[in-house]
């Protein structure tokens, strides 16, 4: 098989189901060695079997992305089986629980940030250094969301976590370019997965989140609405093919839903208008042509 992925090795967090599993199948078909790492061990065993049946070289590792030691164990097991790691897909994530500002428990914020943000940080800290060291280049795909491109009412924690993932991707893309490591932020809108049932993956230490998930009519409505939206989404297989296409054309932002162009363009126009307002401000207009300094 000749393509730029064949014979290389990918670790996919949350690879036992949904988007992660579809990416495992797609990159496996392209000849990559696939490591699926997931908190759901029974789903993990099923996914491993399916990939083996499709003749994919696969390793399955139990992993809670919030646990750095488990990430290090995953890296060690991958290197022992396949050698160098060339691709990291920071995909594992949870949808949180829909709710207003006051209905969203601090525990929910903590859970969503720990999995969706710190999970990505842990993965990149565990895998990144070895990718830099082996010098062959590679890919880091951070699964953000269209929700990371714009705020989402009643989903503040989820949207904030995904905006953080976009921002980390931008920072790391600039930082890792010289190592030939391409970092991209995958920003889908709705995809047919079990993201609306994320409470199934709740770790025991965040047990208070469950009370919000089952707490009354408003939250139940939010959960039902989330289910409808997710079910109206694109199939995971379509998303996976689109990811390969966008990587091959070197996209830093991987968009899967061109219909969201208008709302995001509107947001960009608001930002531009805010700059124009600052340029016209007697208080700060003198900074307009100042040199921009970076680290
Ligand atoms: N489905 C959508 O509409 C959609 C849209 C935009 C972004 N996303 C993002 O896509 C990613 C994948 O979600 P999905 O839609 O496939 O949902 P999903 O719930 O079907 O799959 C998530 C996978 O991650 C695993 N997981 C959850 N918590 C984990 C943890 N702490 N450690 C390790 N694994 C864990 C689950 O067991 C599951 O296999 C998430 O980051 C999600 O935010 C999804």
């Amino acid at each position: 098989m000749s393509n730029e992925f064949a014979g290389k090795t990918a670790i996919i967090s949350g690879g036992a189901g949904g988007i992660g599993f579809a990416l495992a199948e797609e990159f496996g078909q392209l000849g990559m060695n696939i490591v699926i790492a997931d908190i759901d061990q029974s789903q993990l065993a099923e996914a491993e079997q399916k990939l083996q049946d499709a003749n994919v070289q696969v390793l399955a590792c139990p992993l809670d992305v919030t646990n750095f030691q488990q990430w290090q164990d995953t890296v060690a097991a991958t290197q022992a089986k396949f050698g160098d790691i060339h691709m990291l897909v920071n995909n594992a994530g949870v949808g949180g629980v829909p709710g207003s500002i006051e209905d969203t428990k601090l525990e929910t914020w903590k859970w969503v940030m720990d999995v969706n943000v710190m999970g990505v940080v842990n993965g990149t800290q565990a895998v990144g250094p070895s990718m830099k060291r082996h010098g062959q280049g590679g890919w880091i795909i951070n699964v953000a969301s269209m929700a990371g491109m714009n705020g989402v009412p009643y989903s503040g924690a989820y949207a904030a976590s995904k905006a953080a993932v976009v921002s980390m991707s931008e920072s790391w893309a600039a930082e890792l370019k010289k190592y030939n490591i391409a970092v991209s932020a995958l920003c889908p809108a709705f995809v047919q997965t079990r993201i609306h049932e994320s409470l199934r993956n709740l770790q025991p230490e965040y047990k208070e989140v469950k009370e919000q998930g089952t707490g009354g009519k408003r939250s139940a409505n939010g959960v039902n609405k989330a289910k409808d939206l997710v079910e109206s989404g694109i199939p995971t297989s379509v998303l996976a093919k689109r990811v390969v296409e966008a990587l091959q054309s070197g996209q830093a932002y991987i968009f899967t839903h061109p219909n969201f162009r208008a709302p995001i363009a509107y947001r960009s126009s608001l930002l531009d208008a805010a700059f124009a307002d600052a340029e016209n401000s007697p208080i700060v207009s003198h900074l307009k042509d100042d040199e921009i300094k970076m680290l």
Side-chain angles (χ1 to χ4, degrees), residues 49-244:
Q49 188 61 53
K50 279 192 199 154
L51 291 167
Q52 277 168 352
D53 292 347
N55 290 323
V56 173
Q57 294 298 316
V58 61
L59 172 69
C61 297
L63 169 73
D64 176 348
V65 289
T66 66
N67 184 318
F68 187 64
Q69 181 59 52
Q70 290 179 17
W71 264 111
Q72 287 184 309
D73 295 344
T74 301
V75 169
T78 303
Q79 288 169 331
K81 187 168 168 90
F82 294 126
D84 290 333
I85 302 162
H86 307 89
M87 178 184 284
L88 168 65
V89 187
N90 282 310
N91 161 76
V94 291
V97 187
S100 65
I101 299 165
E102 61 279 15
D103 286 344
T104 304
K105 284 179 173 281
L106 295 180
E107 189 86 348
T108 302
W109 276 92
K110 194 166 179 337
W111 177 50
V112 171
M113 290 297 162
D114 283 353
V115 177
N116 293 5
V117 180
M118 292 315 296
V120 174
V121 174
N122 287 336
T124 308
Q125 291 220 346
V127 178
S130 80
M131 282 174 79
K132 271 163 122 173
R133 252 191 325 268
H134 67 54
Q136 302 158 46
W139 303 265
I140 297 177
I141 304 169
N142 294 325
V143 183
S145 169
M146 212 19 88
M149 292 277 141
N150 216 341
V152 182
Y154 304 101
S155 262
Y158 182 75
S161 75
K162 294 303 183 178
V165 174
V166 171
S167 177
M168 292 189 294
S169 307
E170 291 167 341
S171 306
W172 297 340
E175 201 174 315
L176 296 177
K177 199 170 170 205
K178 60 175 176 287
Y179 299 94
N180 207 15
I181 299 171
V183 183
S184 45
L186 169 58
C187 300
F190 297 109
V191 187
Q192 292 163 12
T193 69
R194 295 177 68 199
I195 189 78
H196 55 290
E197 296 170 356
S198 291
L199 281 172
R200 75 189 191 283
N201 297 129
L202 189 73
Q203 303 93 321
E205 60 267 35
Y206 303 94
K207 61 180 185 311
E208 274 180 41
V209 175
K210 263 221 160 103
E211 292 162 28
Q212 188 191 329
T214 51
K217 201 166 146 222
R218 198 154 18 147
S219 133
N221 282 344
V223 172
N224 288 338
K225 206 165 167 196
K227 179 174 186 285
D228 290 346
L229 289 169
V230 166
E231 283 174 357
S232 73
I234 59 171
T236 54
S237 55
V238 171
L239 174 131
K241 288 202 182 321
R242 169 65 190 138
V243 169
V244 172

